PDB file of all heavy atoms in Angstrom:
ATOM      1  N   ALA A 884    -195.517  78.481-114.294  1.00 95.00           N
ATOM      2  CA  ALA A 884    -196.928  78.153-114.517  1.00 95.00           C
ATOM      3  C   ALA A 884    -197.889  79.203-113.982  1.00 95.00           C
ATOM      4  O   ALA A 884    -199.050  79.249-114.394  1.00 95.00           O
ATOM      5  CB  ALA A 884    -197.255  76.804-113.891  1.00 95.00           C
ATOM      6  N   THR A 885    -197.420  80.046-113.036  1.00 94.00           N
ATOM      7  CA  THR A 885    -198.283  81.074-112.453  1.00 94.00           C
ATOM      8  C   THR A 885    -197.554  82.410-112.480  1.00 94.00           C
ATOM      9  O   THR A 885    -196.594  82.585-113.227  1.00 94.00           O
ATOM     10  CB  THR A 885    -198.675  80.721-111.007  1.00 94.00           C
ATOM     11  OG1 THR A 885    -197.497  80.746-110.176  1.00 94.00           O
ATOM     12  CG2 THR A 885    -199.309  79.338-110.938  1.00 94.00           C
ATOM     13  N   THR A 886    -197.984  83.351-111.662  1.00 93.00           N
ATOM     14  CA  THR A 886    -197.350  84.670-111.631  1.00 93.00           C
ATOM     15  C   THR A 886    -195.948  84.636-111.040  1.00 93.00           C
ATOM     16  O   THR A 886    -195.206  85.606-111.165  1.00 93.00           O
ATOM     17  CB  THR A 886    -198.208  85.650-110.807  1.00 93.00           C
ATOM     18  OG1 THR A 886    -198.457  85.080-109.517  1.00 93.00           O
ATOM     19  CG2 THR A 886    -199.532  85.927-111.502  1.00 93.00           C
ATOM     20  N   ASN A 887    -195.577  83.547-110.384  1.00 95.00           N
ATOM     21  CA  ASN A 887    -194.249  83.436-109.775  1.00 95.00           C
ATOM     22  C   ASN A 887    -193.238  82.961-110.812  1.00 95.00           C
ATOM     23  O   ASN A 887    -193.267  81.816-111.249  1.00 95.00           O
ATOM     24  CB  ASN A 887    -194.271  82.458-108.600  1.00 95.00           C
ATOM     25  CG  ASN A 887    -192.998  82.514-107.778  1.00 95.00           C
ATOM     26  OD1 ASN A 887    -192.369  83.561-107.691  1.00 95.00           O
ATOM     27  ND2 ASN A 887    -192.622  81.404-107.163  1.00 95.00           N
ATOM     28  N   CYS A 888    -192.341  83.858-111.188  1.00 96.00           N
ATOM     29  CA  CYS A 888    -191.240  83.489-112.086  1.00 96.00           C
ATOM     30  C   CYS A 888    -190.107  82.993-111.194  1.00 96.00           C
ATOM     31  O   CYS A 888    -189.509  83.767-110.453  1.00 96.00           O
ATOM     32  CB  CYS A 888    -190.788  84.695-112.907  1.00 96.00           C
ATOM     33  SG  CYS A 888    -189.515  84.316-114.131  1.00 96.00           S
ATOM     34  N   SER A 889    -189.848  81.683-111.237  1.00 97.00           N
ATOM     35  CA  SER A 889    -188.983  81.066-110.230  1.00 97.00           C
ATOM     36  C   SER A 889    -187.938  80.164-110.874  1.00 97.00           C
ATOM     37  O   SER A 889    -188.256  79.337-111.731  1.00 97.00           O
ATOM     38  CB  SER A 889    -189.843  80.266-109.248  1.00 97.00           C
ATOM     39  OG  SER A 889    -189.063  79.642-108.265  1.00 97.00           O
ATOM     40  N   VAL A 890    -186.693  80.328-110.436  1.00 98.00           N
ATOM     41  CA  VAL A 890    -185.562  79.542-110.953  1.00 98.00           C
ATOM     42  C   VAL A 890    -184.746  79.032-109.780  1.00 98.00           C
ATOM     43  O   VAL A 890    -184.463  79.765-108.830  1.00 98.00           O
ATOM     44  CB  VAL A 890    -184.653  80.397-111.869  1.00 98.00           C
ATOM     45  CG1 VAL A 890    -183.447  79.582-112.339  1.00 98.00           C
ATOM     46  CG2 VAL A 890    -185.438  80.924-113.061  1.00 98.00           C
ATOM     47  N   CYS A 891    -184.369  77.767-109.837  1.00 98.00           N
ATOM     48  CA  CYS A 891    -183.557  77.171-108.779  1.00 98.00           C
ATOM     49  C   CYS A 891    -182.509  76.249-109.390  1.00 98.00           C
ATOM     50  O   CYS A 891    -182.832  75.371-110.192  1.00 98.00           O
ATOM     51  CB  CYS A 891    -184.449  76.384-107.812  1.00 98.00           C
ATOM     52  SG  CYS A 891    -183.547  75.348-106.640  1.00 98.00           S
ATOM     53  N   VAL A 892    -181.257  76.446-109.008  1.00 98.00           N
ATOM     54  CA  VAL A 892    -180.182  75.518-109.352  1.00 98.00           C
ATOM     55  C   VAL A 892    -180.006  74.598-108.155  1.00 98.00           C
ATOM     56  O   VAL A 892    -179.862  75.064-107.019  1.00 98.00           O
ATOM     57  CB  VAL A 892    -178.859  76.255-109.656  1.00 98.00           C
ATOM     58  CG1 VAL A 892    -177.751  75.247-109.960  1.00 98.00           C
ATOM     59  CG2 VAL A 892    -179.047  77.213-110.820  1.00 98.00           C
ATOM     60  N   ALA A 893    -180.052  73.284-108.394  1.00 98.00           N
ATOM     61  CA  ALA A 893    -179.972  72.321-107.304  1.00 98.00           C
ATOM     62  C   ALA A 893    -178.838  71.329-107.529  1.00 98.00           C
ATOM     63  O   ALA A 893    -178.578  70.910-108.656  1.00 98.00           O
ATOM     64  CB  ALA A 893    -181.291  71.575-107.149  1.00 98.00           C
ATOM     65  N   SER A 894    -178.198  70.962-106.438  1.00 98.00           N
ATOM     66  CA  SER A 894    -177.151  69.935-106.457  1.00 98.00           C
ATOM     67  C   SER A 894    -177.618  68.786-105.578  1.00 98.00           C
ATOM     68  O   SER A 894    -177.879  68.983-104.392  1.00 98.00           O
ATOM     69  CB  SER A 894    -175.829  70.505-105.936  1.00 98.00           C
ATOM     70  OG  SER A 894    -174.859  69.481-105.805  1.00 98.00           O
ATOM     71  N   GLU A 895    -177.753  67.614-106.161  1.00 96.00           N
ATOM     72  CA  GLU A 895    -178.226  66.438-105.435  1.00 96.00           C
ATOM     73  C   GLU A 895    -179.543  66.707-104.715  1.00 96.00           C
ATOM     74  O   GLU A 895    -179.760  66.280-103.587  1.00 96.00           O
ATOM     75  CB  GLU A 895    -177.165  65.961-104.443  1.00 96.00           C
ATOM     76  CG  GLU A 895    -175.890  65.452-105.094  1.00 96.00           C
ATOM     77  CD  GLU A 895    -176.133  64.253-105.999  1.00 96.00           C
ATOM     78  OE1 GLU A 895    -176.754  63.283-105.545  1.00 96.00           O
ATOM     79  OE2 GLU A 895    -175.712  64.307-107.172  1.00 96.00           O
ATOM     80  N   GLY A 896    -180.425  67.461-105.368  1.00 97.00           N
ATOM     81  CA  GLY A 896    -181.749  67.702-104.828  1.00 97.00           C
ATOM     82  C   GLY A 896    -181.859  68.839-103.837  1.00 97.00           C
ATOM     83  O   GLY A 896    -182.938  69.074-103.285  1.00 97.00           O
ATOM     84  N   LYS A 897    -180.778  69.578-103.618  1.00 97.00           N
ATOM     85  CA  LYS A 897    -180.794  70.698-102.667  1.00 97.00           C
ATOM     86  C   LYS A 897    -180.466  72.002-103.386  1.00 97.00           C
ATOM     87  O   LYS A 897    -179.519  72.069-104.170  1.00 97.00           O
ATOM     88  CB  LYS A 897    -179.795  70.446-101.533  1.00 97.00           C
ATOM     89  CG  LYS A 897    -180.140  69.227-100.684  1.00 97.00           C
ATOM     90  CD  LYS A 897    -179.148  69.058 -99.541  1.00 97.00           C
ATOM     91  CE  LYS A 897    -179.514  67.849 -98.679  1.00 97.00           C
ATOM     92  NZ  LYS A 897    -178.547  67.651 -97.568  1.00 97.00           N
ATOM     93  N   ALA A 898    -181.257  73.032-103.093  1.00 97.00           N
ATOM     94  CA  ALA A 898    -181.093  74.319-103.763  1.00 97.00           C
ATOM     95  C   ALA A 898    -179.772  74.976-103.393  1.00 97.00           C
ATOM     96  O   ALA A 898    -179.438  75.085-102.214  1.00 97.00           O
ATOM     97  CB  ALA A 898    -182.251  75.240-103.401  1.00 97.00           C
ATOM     98  N   ILE A 899    -179.032  75.430-104.399  1.00 98.00           N
ATOM     99  CA  ILE A 899    -177.779  76.146-104.149  1.00 98.00           C
ATOM    100  C   ILE A 899    -177.773  77.521-104.819  1.00 98.00           C
ATOM    101  O   ILE A 899    -176.861  78.315-104.614  1.00 98.00           O
ATOM    102  CB  ILE A 899    -176.555  75.330-104.609  1.00 98.00           C
ATOM    103  CG1 ILE A 899    -176.655  74.982-106.089  1.00 98.00           C
ATOM    104  CG2 ILE A 899    -176.403  74.071-103.767  1.00 98.00           C
ATOM    105  CD1 ILE A 899    -175.412  74.303-106.641  1.00 98.00           C
ATOM    106  N   GLY A 900    -178.807  77.783-105.612  1.00 98.00           N
ATOM    107  CA  GLY A 900    -178.949  79.087-106.250  1.00 98.00           C
ATOM    108  C   GLY A 900    -180.403  79.334-106.561  1.00 98.00           C
ATOM    109  O   GLY A 900    -181.044  78.503-107.210  1.00 98.00           O
ATOM    110  N   ILE A 901    -180.969  80.443-106.077  1.00 98.00           N
ATOM    111  CA  ILE A 901    -182.402  80.696-106.217  1.00 98.00           C
ATOM    112  C   ILE A 901    -182.628  82.138-106.662  1.00 98.00           C
ATOM    113  O   ILE A 901    -182.007  83.072-106.138  1.00 98.00           O
ATOM    114  CB  ILE A 901    -183.153  80.481-104.889  1.00 98.00           C
ATOM    115  CG1 ILE A 901    -182.901  79.080-104.340  1.00 98.00           C
ATOM    116  CG2 ILE A 901    -184.646  80.727-105.073  1.00 98.00           C
ATOM    117  CD1 ILE A 901    -183.325  78.924-102.895  1.00 98.00           C
ATOM    118  N   LYS A 902    -183.526  82.304-107.602  1.00 97.00           N
ATOM    119  CA  LYS A 902    -183.981  83.635-107.978  1.00 97.00           C
ATOM    120  C   LYS A 902    -185.434  83.536-108.391  1.00 97.00           C
ATOM    121  O   LYS A 902    -185.788  82.779-109.306  1.00 97.00           O
ATOM    122  CB  LYS A 902    -183.143  84.189-109.147  1.00 97.00           C
ATOM    123  CG  LYS A 902    -183.537  85.596-109.580  1.00 97.00           C
ATOM    124  CD  LYS A 902    -183.328  86.616-108.462  1.00 97.00           C
ATOM    125  CE  LYS A 902    -183.720  88.015-108.905  1.00 97.00           C
ATOM    126  NZ  LYS A 902    -183.586  89.012-107.802  1.00 97.00           N
ATOM    127  N   GLU A 903    -186.316  84.267-107.712  1.00 96.00           N
ATOM    128  CA  GLU A 903    -187.729  84.240-108.054  1.00 96.00           C
ATOM    129  C   GLU A 903    -188.406  85.545-107.682  1.00 96.00           C
ATOM    130  O   GLU A 903    -187.950  86.262-106.791  1.00 96.00           O
ATOM    131  CB  GLU A 903    -188.439  83.057-107.396  1.00 96.00           C
ATOM    132  CG  GLU A 903    -188.428  83.050-105.888  1.00 96.00           C
ATOM    133  CD  GLU A 903    -189.107  81.804-105.312  1.00 96.00           C
ATOM    134  OE1 GLU A 903    -189.670  80.990-106.082  1.00 96.00           O
ATOM    135  OE2 GLU A 903    -189.073  81.641-104.085  1.00 96.00           O
ATOM    136  N   GLN A 904    -189.505  85.817-108.361  1.00 95.00           N
ATOM    137  CA  GLN A 904    -190.280  87.026-108.081  1.00 95.00           C
ATOM    138  C   GLN A 904    -191.730  86.761-108.441  1.00 95.00           C
ATOM    139  O   GLN A 904    -192.048  86.340-109.557  1.00 95.00           O
ATOM    140  CB  GLN A 904    -189.744  88.207-108.887  1.00 95.00           C
ATOM    141  CG  GLN A 904    -190.455  89.518-108.587  1.00 95.00           C
ATOM    142  CD  GLN A 904    -189.879  90.671-109.385  1.00 95.00           C
ATOM    143  OE1 GLN A 904    -189.636  90.560-110.579  1.00 95.00           O
ATOM    144  NE2 GLN A 904    -189.636  91.786-108.717  1.00 95.00           N
ATOM    145  N   ASN A 905    -192.610  86.998-107.486  1.00 93.00           N
ATOM    146  CA  ASN A 905    -194.044  86.815-107.709  1.00 93.00           C
ATOM    147  C   ASN A 905    -194.704  88.178-107.827  1.00 93.00           C
ATOM    148  O   ASN A 905    -194.757  88.937-106.861  1.00 93.00           O
ATOM    149  CB  ASN A 905    -194.657  86.015-106.554  1.00 93.00           C
ATOM    150  CG  ASN A 905    -196.108  85.671-106.795  1.00 93.00           C
ATOM    151  OD1 ASN A 905    -196.551  85.610-107.943  1.00 93.00           O
ATOM    152  ND2 ASN A 905    -196.858  85.454-105.729  1.00 93.00           N
ATOM    153  N   THR A 906    -195.177  88.490-109.003  1.00 87.00           N
ATOM    154  CA  THR A 906    -195.826  89.775-109.241  1.00 87.00           C
ATOM    155  C   THR A 906    -197.193  89.541-109.867  1.00 87.00           C
ATOM    156  O   THR A 906    -197.398  88.543-110.566  1.00 87.00           O
ATOM    157  CB  THR A 906    -194.986  90.657-110.188  1.00 87.00           C
ATOM    158  OG1 THR A 906    -194.811  89.961-111.430  1.00 87.00           O
ATOM    159  CG2 THR A 906    -193.630  90.973-109.584  1.00 87.00           C
ATOM    160  N   PRO A 907    -198.154  90.437-109.636  1.00 81.00           N
ATOM    161  CA  PRO A 907    -199.490  90.265-110.214  1.00 81.00           C
ATOM    162  C   PRO A 907    -199.459  90.156-111.731  1.00 81.00           C
ATOM    163  O   PRO A 907    -200.246  89.436-112.333  1.00 81.00           O
ATOM    164  CB  PRO A 907    -200.238  91.527-109.756  1.00 81.00           C
ATOM    165  CG  PRO A 907    -199.514  91.968-108.525  1.00 81.00           C
ATOM    166  CD  PRO A 907    -198.079  91.629-108.769  1.00 81.00           C
ATOM    167  N   LYS A 908    -198.544  90.900-112.353  1.00 79.00           N
ATOM    168  CA  LYS A 908    -198.413  90.839-113.808  1.00 79.00           C
ATOM    169  C   LYS A 908    -197.288  89.853-114.158  1.00 79.00           C
ATOM    170  O   LYS A 908    -196.231  89.850-113.544  1.00 79.00           O
ATOM    171  CB  LYS A 908    -198.082  92.221-114.375  1.00 79.00           C
ATOM    172  CG  LYS A 908    -199.199  93.239-114.192  1.00 79.00           C
ATOM    173  CD  LYS A 908    -198.844  94.563-114.834  1.00 79.00           C
ATOM    174  CE  LYS A 908    -199.978  95.571-114.678  1.00 79.00           C
ATOM    175  NZ  LYS A 908    -199.643  96.880-115.297  1.00 79.00           N
ATOM    176  N   TYR A 909    -197.543  89.022-115.136  1.00 79.00           N
ATOM    177  CA  TYR A 909    -196.547  88.039-115.560  1.00 79.00           C
ATOM    178  C   TYR A 909    -195.317  88.755-116.123  1.00 79.00           C
ATOM    179  O   TYR A 909    -195.424  89.591-117.013  1.00 79.00           O
ATOM    180  CB  TYR A 909    -197.138  87.107-116.622  1.00 79.00           C
ATOM    181  CG  TYR A 909    -198.141  86.128-116.067  1.00 79.00           C
ATOM    182  CD1 TYR A 909    -199.478  86.492-115.919  1.00 79.00           C
ATOM    183  CD2 TYR A 909    -197.762  84.859-115.681  1.00 79.00           C
ATOM    184  CE1 TYR A 909    -200.413  85.599-115.398  1.00 79.00           C
ATOM    185  CE2 TYR A 909    -198.684  83.954-115.165  1.00 79.00           C
ATOM    186  CZ  TYR A 909    -199.996  84.336-115.034  1.00 79.00           C
ATOM    187  OH  TYR A 909    -200.912  83.455-114.518  1.00 79.00           O
ATOM    188  N   SER A 910    -194.147  88.409-115.573  1.00 82.00           N
ATOM    189  CA  SER A 910    -192.901  89.031-116.028  1.00 82.00           C
ATOM    190  C   SER A 910    -191.952  88.000-116.621  1.00 82.00           C
ATOM    191  O   SER A 910    -190.772  88.269-116.808  1.00 82.00           O
ATOM    192  CB  SER A 910    -192.209  89.726-114.841  1.00 82.00           C
ATOM    193  OG  SER A 910    -191.897  88.778-113.818  1.00 82.00           O
ATOM    194  N   HIS A 911    -192.472  86.819-116.943  1.00 92.00           N
ATOM    195  CA  HIS A 911    -191.599  85.722-117.356  1.00 92.00           C
ATOM    196  C   HIS A 911    -190.805  86.035-118.624  1.00 92.00           C
ATOM    197  O   HIS A 911    -189.625  85.695-118.721  1.00 92.00           O
ATOM    198  CB  HIS A 911    -192.424  84.460-117.582  1.00 92.00           C
ATOM    199  CG  HIS A 911    -193.269  84.084-116.406  1.00 92.00           C
ATOM    200  ND1 HIS A 911    -193.092  84.599-115.148  1.00 92.00           N
ATOM    201  CD2 HIS A 911    -194.320  83.236-116.309  1.00 92.00           C
ATOM    202  CE1 HIS A 911    -193.986  84.080-114.326  1.00 92.00           C
ATOM    203  NE2 HIS A 911    -194.752  83.251-115.010  1.00 92.00           N
TER     204      HIS A 911
END
């Protein structure tokens, strides 16, 4: 939704894999 391109894989509500990057320019 914003400049932060963020992905999280969660198991039972807890993050087990995360990849994100917040840049001024949208890189989605």
Side-chain angles (χ1 to χ4, degrees):
T885 66
T886 54
N887 191 30
C888 184
S889 179
V890 177
C891 169
V892 178
S894 173
E895 295 299 308
K897 296 182 179 179
I899 58 174
I901 304 166
K902 181 62 180 177
E903 62 182 355
Q904 183 179 45
N905 186 24
T906 59
K908 294 183 179 180
Y909 288 85
S910 60
H911 306 345

